[in-house]
Amino acid sequence: MANSIMLMGTSSHVGKSIITTALCRIFHQEGRKVVPFKAQNMALNSYVTKDGKEMGRAQVAQAEAAGLEPMVDMNPVLLKPTGNSCSQVVLNGKAIGNMSAREYHKGYSLKAFGAVTEALERLQKNFDTLVIEGAGSPAEVNLKANDIVNMRVAKHLNAPVLLIADIDRGGALASLVGTLELLDEDERALVKGLIINKFRGDVTLLTPAVDFLEQKTGKPVLGIVPHIEDMGIDDEDSVSLDDKVVEQDQPQADLHIAVIQTPKISNFTDFDSLAAEPDVSLYYVKRVEDLGEPDLILLPGSKNTTEDLLHLRECGLEEAIREKVAGGTPLWGICGGYQMLGQKIADPLHTESANDEVAGLGYLPMETTFAAEKLTSQVQADCVQLNFLGREITGKGLYGYEIHTGETKFDGAPAHPFQIIDRSNESVNIAEGLTCQIDGQGQVTGTYIHGIFDHDDFRRQILNALRARKGLGDLPIQRSVRQEKERAYNRLASVVRASLDMEKLAEIMGERP
């Protein structure tokens, strides 16, 4: 039977995902067969596995830290909010439909727990250590009866639990004590230690607080983890965008890239590799006045494309984007953002919203009609005919993934910049994406391929074209996405290993220190 440790929090966004990632890398460094697990994720930031299944992005980062290929058993239930207290339910990597919060929590969640236990059984057979992440707080009494991600999992495995609080937001001591008080006695007994996360300053000043917590709760404080700047690890969901304070006018940045942050933005990690470039200032835009003077505008994916498009129209961002494009600013769309660039988006089955049809931005000669089935696949593509700002952009074997609902049809003989040569491990020959030079204006390009900017040479070619437009010289490749991620995981592991009582953790997990 595999050993396990479970990380729960006093609330959402306290650092459960990051501590889970750190422990995965620490145990991987120790030579263990370690695997991450989260029974149920609620996030719009998702990923497609090699076998075409959809899972939460946080478990992808944890899998990478553990030295593993992501697989859906790590996250058997994914909820993707669609608005109006409703979510698309993804079970074992496949969408099964939309449900209201009441329908899911009152009727379906306990049925989905069967998939959770089956995934756990498979993981226990193939791995020696499970690092399990909870969700939100285990003390949410209104949800606890039908909860399948916190104490129900811990009880099923008899897994020891570490409770995490974020001291950076304040009230950490009260939240730890209060959470424990609200747990049932048998649940409280499973909590074997406490962690204080995101601490800034002199850790010795916290000694009285540690003494109080241990005396008050009878639980050891395993450590105080410092606030870590610029971790370089994929964020779980768009709530983290509020923490990405990036100035539009960083004097050291040669290029400024604006990402339009719509209410249902998804897969914003598509742009993390751009943000990490030393000559780039990448910022997120919610309001017209925040758009500034970007060198490139990016329209990201969306879980509710038509409503996000209407939002751009209503808040004035559509008009602001048109003004920039008319002035020569290039515009790129990824997935839902790509669909917005066309003439029309139709949703006759109301797959995403109640809108039957919405006019697109009208830049690209194409129309998209949503269907009941979602396409989820990993792909490999070549860049075959992309003239970007006067430069021929090339690229072979660009890896990424598709995750979208809807069929896009094109008018005339459009220029497809990419050719998909492999989809879900099958050789194909599919024209993909679209680019169009707007007469006397800027260039508009779109693609369904997530992760296209993660390819170091392709990304640098795009950035150098932007640099040339500003009269700046080319730069060689500045960063390797894969190497940067490995460094980030190792750095995180080093910080957490130094911050926690690892001998005490081993005892809690039933191991000899």
Side-chain angles (χ1 to χ4, degrees), residues 150-171:
N150 287 311
M151 282 299 175
R152 194 178 298 274
V153 172
K155 289 179 180 179
H156 178 77
L157 295 176
N158 195 30
V161 173
L162 302 181
L163 185 62
I164 304 170
D166 174 5
I167 198 170
D168 196 40
R169 64 173 61 182

Side-chain angles (χ1 to χ4, degrees), residues 66 69 123 319 330 341 445 470 507:
E69 181 70 31
L123 295 179
E319 183 179 353
L341 299 175
T445 304
K470 298 183 75 172
E507 291 179 6

Side-chain angles (χ1 to χ4, degrees), residues 181-437:
E181 286 294 322
L182 288 171
L183 296 178
D184 296 337
E185 186 175 347
D186 60 336
E187 297 169 337
R188 196 158 47 242
L190 286 172
V191 179
K192 303 299 183 182
L194 312 176
I195 296 175
I196 296 174
N197 194 26
K198 304 182 188 178
F199 181 75
R200 304 172 191 259
D202 184 353
V203 73
T204 62
L205 297 177
L206 214 56
T207 300
V210 171
D211 294 341
F212 164 79
L213 280 173
E214 293 187 334
Q215 182 178 2
K216 178 71 175 177
T217 66
K219 311 289 184 183
V221 176
L222 262 66
I224 301 165
V225 180
H227 189 280
I228 305 173
E229 298 286 349
D230 301 322
M231 276 188 288
I233 296 172
D234 289 349
D235 291 309
E236 181 175 21
D237 208 355
S238 56
V239 64
S240 60
L241 292 181
D242 295 334
D243 297 334
K244 293 180 183 287
V245 181
V246 183
E247 296 296 332
Q248 298 180 27
D249 298 315
Q250 293 184 45
Q252 73 276 17
D254 295 325
L255 302 174
H256 296 81
I257 298 177
V259 180
I260 305 302
Q261 185 177 347
T262 55
K264 293 300 178 184
I265 183 173
S266 66
N267 293 78
F268 60 88
T269 46
D270 284 339
F271 313 120
D272 285 356
S273 57
L274 291 167
E277 291 286 352
D279 59 333
V280 171
S281 168
L282 185 141
Y283 56 99
Y284 289 82
V285 175
K286 290 183 178 180
R287 305 174 303 169
V288 171
E289 52 265 38
D290 296 332
L291 185 56
E293 297 296 330
D295 299 299
L296 173 65
I297 299 173
L298 298 171
L299 274 176
S302 168
K303 186 63 191 73
N304 198 319
T305 307
T306 57
E307 289 195 2
D308 273 354
L309 178 55
L310 291 173
H311 170 79
L312 296 183
R313 206 153 274 160
E314 292 163 1
C315 74
L317 274 170
E318 177 186 13
E319 183 179 353
I321 291 169
R322 289 190 184 281
E323 290 178 0
K324 297 301 178 187
V325 173
T329 303
L331 172 65
W332 276 66
I334 305 289
C335 198
Y338 171 37
Q339 294 171 337
M340 294 181 193
L341 299 175
Q343 305 298 314
K344 182 177 71 174
I345 302 173
D347 191 1
L349 302 179
H350 296 165
T351 303
E352 284 194 357
S353 73
N355 300 310
D356 294 320
E357 184 179 298
V358 174
L361 298 180
Y363 285 118
L364 300 180
M366 65 184 208
E367 295 183 357
T368 299
T369 301
F370 290 154
E373 294 295 320
K374 182 190 294 189
L375 174 64
T376 55
S377 60
Q378 287 194 5
V379 297
Q380 185 178 353
D382 293 338
C383 184
V384 291
Q385 53 173 344
L386 176 56
N387 185 303
F388 183 63
L389 303 179
R391 290 199 175 191
E392 291 298 327
I393 307 298
T394 61
K396 293 285 188 180
L398 307 179
Y399 284 93
Y401 60 96
E402 301 167 293
I403 177 171
H404 65 89
T405 300
E407 181 182 0
T408 298
K409 294 185 177 180
F410 307 96
D411 293 333
H416 297 288
F418 304 105
Q419 196 79 16
I420 296 177
I421 59 175
D422 185 283
R423 176 181 276 166
S424 299
N425 295 318
E426 291 186 7
S427 294
V428 295
N429 188 20
I430 301 172
E432 205 287 320
L434 203 58
T435 187
C436 186
Q437 184 69 40

